[in-house]
């Protein structure tokens, strides 16, 4: 064999070995690739399922309200004049009947003195007429005075009595006008605003505001309670409030439950009196949370509860999708709405059964499902 022929044979042998190696490697990779399982039926739908709750979180029964004073007023003068004296400043605590400010009343004071003098004169005239009548009666009894004389004495005493009464009324009027020149606290409280100073002129009509006063001891909470919660709230029931953001706690007692639902936000106004001694001072205007989770009858907190989205219902009649053996089954139930976003199961479902969390999913009887949570 020549050298050229030997080279050709070696080249052919090398190419054949290379082809065999490629084929062998390719087959090895194919044999190591995992085989896909055959799908024998429709794919299961991934769903979220829940079981009924036996009690509700207190968070769903908390409402926001605001502390306010039962007594607060804007005070102005009952007369027109110039302020001559200021007795209080903003922040001062005052008592009912205390004089907060006074207007210049020098002319009215003179009128009071005049009215007092007139009354004293009328009282003296009445005393004289009464004594004269008594003497005339004694004389008339012995026949020493004619009947006409006695009648005249009686009429004189009545006229004197009327004049005395008129003078007393005049004095009371003058004294009332003098009191009108003072601004007086109508109840115990704290001065929260003062808009005038000594020397300022004020008018009776329209009344010029001078002070704002708030009673910080008689407090109440005004809250807008969702209509779905308000049936748990009863007059006289007690609960706890929390001041935001301090977290201070205090007790309240429901005093008024509104009779009308606000059509704009579906709430009912509830007023609750602050009772007992709070841990810290409560200020009118502070935002608070009221917890109605413990308000109402004990039976209201018992039962099986589901979120409203888990139940398709109109009124008390509805249904849920129950998960059983990897499929869903339609189950008729009876429910009642108890709180925002929750219903109580009255009939048709057990405590350990699982239902679809969303009843609006596109499923039907027997749909295969796979719980993903």
């Amino acid at each position: 064999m020549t050298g050229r022929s030997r080279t050709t044979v070696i080249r052919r042998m090398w190419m054949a070995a290379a082809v065999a190696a490629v084929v062998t490697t390719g087959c090895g990779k194919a044999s190591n690739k995992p085989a896909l399982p055959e799908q024998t039926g429709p794919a299961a739908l991934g769903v979220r399922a829940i079981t009924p709750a036996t009690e509700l979180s207190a968070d769903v029964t908390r409402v926001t309200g605001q502390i306010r004073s039962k007594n607060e007023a804007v005070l102005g003068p009952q007369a027109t004049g110039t302020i001559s004296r200021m007795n209080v400043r903003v922040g001062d605590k005052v008592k009912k009947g205390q004089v907060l400010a006074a207007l210049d009343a020098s002319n009215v004071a003179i009128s009071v003195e005049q009215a007092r003098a007139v009354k004293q004169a009328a009282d003296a005239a009445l005393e004289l007429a009464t004594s004269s009548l008594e003497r005339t009666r004694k004389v008339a009894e012995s026949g020493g005075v004619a009947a006409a004389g006695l009648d005249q004495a009686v009429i004189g005493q009545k006229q004197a009595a009327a004049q005395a009464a008129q003078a007393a009324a005049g004095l009371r009027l003058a004294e009332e006008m003098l009191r009108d020149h003072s601004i007086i606290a109508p109840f115990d409280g704290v001065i929260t605003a003062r808009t005038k100073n000594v020397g300022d002129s004020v008018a009776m009509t329209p009344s010029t505001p001078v002070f704002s006063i708030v009673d910080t001891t008689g407090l109440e909470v005004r809250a807008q309670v969702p209509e779905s919660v308000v049936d748990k709230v009863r007059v006289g029931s007690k609960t706890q409030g929390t001041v935001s953001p301090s977290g201070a706690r205090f007790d309240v007692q429901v005093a008024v439950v509104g009779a009308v639902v606000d059509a704009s936000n579906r709430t009912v106004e509830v007023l609750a009196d602050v009772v007992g001694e709070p841990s810290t001072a409560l200020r009118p205007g502070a935002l608070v949370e009221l917890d109605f989770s413990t308000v109402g009858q004990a039976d209201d907190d018992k039962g099986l509860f589901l979120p409203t989205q888990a139940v398709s219902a109109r009124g008390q009649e509805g249904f849920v999708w129950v998960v059983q053996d990897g499929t869903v089954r339609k189950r008729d139930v009876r429910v009642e709405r108890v709180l925002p976003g929750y219903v109580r199961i009255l009939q048709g479902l057990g405590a350990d059964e699982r239902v679809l969390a969303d009843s609006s999913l596109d499923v039907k009887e027997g749909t295969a499902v796979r719980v993903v949570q």
Side-chain angles (χ1 to χ4, degrees):
M1 182 180 295
T2 64
R4 184 175 181 179
S5 298
R6 186 181 297 111
T7 302
T8 301
V9 172
I10 292 173
R11 185 180 296 167
R12 289 177 179 175
M13 292 175 63
W14 178 82
M15 292 178 63
V19 171
V22 171
V23 173
T24 301
T25 303
C27 292
K29 288 184 178 180
S31 61
N32 292 333
K33 185 177 181 180
L36 294 175
E38 294 185 3
Q39 290 188 356
T40 57
L45 176 66
V47 296
R48 180 172 173 265
I50 57 175
T51 56
T54 56
E55 62 181 9
L56 291 175
S57 169
D59 291 340
V60 299
T61 56
R62 288 176 181 162
V63 297
T64 300
Q66 188 174 34
I67 294 177
R68 69 179 188 180
S69 173
K70 293 181 183 179
N71 292 320
E72 52 184 288
V74 176
L75 307 179
Q78 298 297 312
T80 299
T82 303
I83 296 176
S84 61
R85 188 172 73 254
M86 279 286 187
N87 299 331
V88 294
R89 297 178 298 179
V90 173
D92 287 350
K93 293 182 178 180
V94 298
K95 295 292 186 180
K96 179 179 179 179
Q98 181 177 338
V99 176
L100 309 180
L103 278 62
D104 182 8
S106 54
N107 292 335
V108 181
I110 295 174
S111 298
V112 171
E113 293 178 1
Q114 290 176 336
R116 187 173 290 116
V118 171
K119 182 178 183 303
Q120 290 173 349
D123 289 343
L126 175 60
E127 184 177 355
L128 178 61
T130 302
S131 299
S132 176
L133 176 60
E134 291 176 354
R135 289 192 300 268
T136 303
R137 278 198 179 115
K138 290 179 180 180
V139 175
E141 290 174 356
S142 61
V145 176
L150 179 60
D151 291 343
Q152 185 176 2
V154 171
I155 293 173
Q157 193 274 341
K158 289 183 178 179
Q159 289 176 339
Q163 291 172 352
Q166 185 177 15
L171 177 60
R172 289 195 300 271
L173 178 60
E175 290 174 340
E176 184 66 25
M177 293 177 63
L178 183 61
R179 282 193 294 270
D180 287 345
H181 280 67
S182 297
I183 301 176
I184 299 173
F187 47 79
D188 294 353
V190 175
I191 302 299
T192 58
R194 194 182 93 174
T195 60
K196 297 295 181 179
N197 295 300
V198 173
D200 286 337
S201 298
V202 292
M204 177 180 63
T205 306
S207 182
T208 305
V210 179
F211 298 106
S212 293
I213 181 174
V214 173
D215 178 7
T216 58
T217 58
L219 301 177
E220 65 183 3
V221 176
R222 177 180 179 269
Q224 297 296 331
V225 179
E227 62 175 324
S228 55
V229 177
V230 77
D231 288 340
K232 291 175 63 69
V233 183
R234 296 174 177 84
V235 173
S237 58
K238 294 184 178 180
T239 186
Q240 194 171 68
T242 304
V243 180
S244 177
S246 69
R249 295 183 178 276
F250 59 96
D251 296 323
V252 298
Q253 184 172 13
V254 177
V256 177
V257 178
V260 179
V261 177
D262 189 331
S264 63
N265 54 20
R266 312 307 304 174
T267 60
V268 177
E269 183 179 71
V270 171
L271 301 179
D273 295 334
V274 176
V275 295
E277 291 294 332
S279 58
T280 58
L282 301 179
R283 294 179 174 86
L287 292 179
V288 299
E289 280 190 347
L290 297 183
D291 182 3
F292 289 115
S293 62
T294 58
V295 173
Q297 298 177 352
D299 290 342
D300 290 345
D301 299 327
K302 298 178 181 178
L304 301 179
F305 302 92
L306 285 174
T308 52
Q309 64 266 27
V311 183
S312 178
R314 289 186 177 181
Q316 288 192 326
E317 304 299 325
F319 68 88
V320 295
W321 292 107
V322 179
V323 179
Q324 291 181 345
D325 301 327
T327 62
V328 293
R329 302 294 177 183
K330 187 177 181 181
R331 179 78 61 79
D332 292 332
V333 294
R334 293 184 67 249
V335 300
E336 66 173 349
R337 188 172 62 171
V338 290
L339 294 171
Y342 285 89
V343 295
R344 189 206 321 265
I345 304 298
L346 300 177
Q347 184 179 344
L349 191 66
D352 57 348
E353 294 186 283
R354 293 192 302 173
V355 302
L356 296 189
D358 187 356
S359 64
S360 65
L361 289 178
D362 186 16
V363 295
K364 59 184 179 180
E365 186 80 14
T367 297
V369 294
R370 175 173 50 88
V371 177
V372 296
Q373 95 258 26

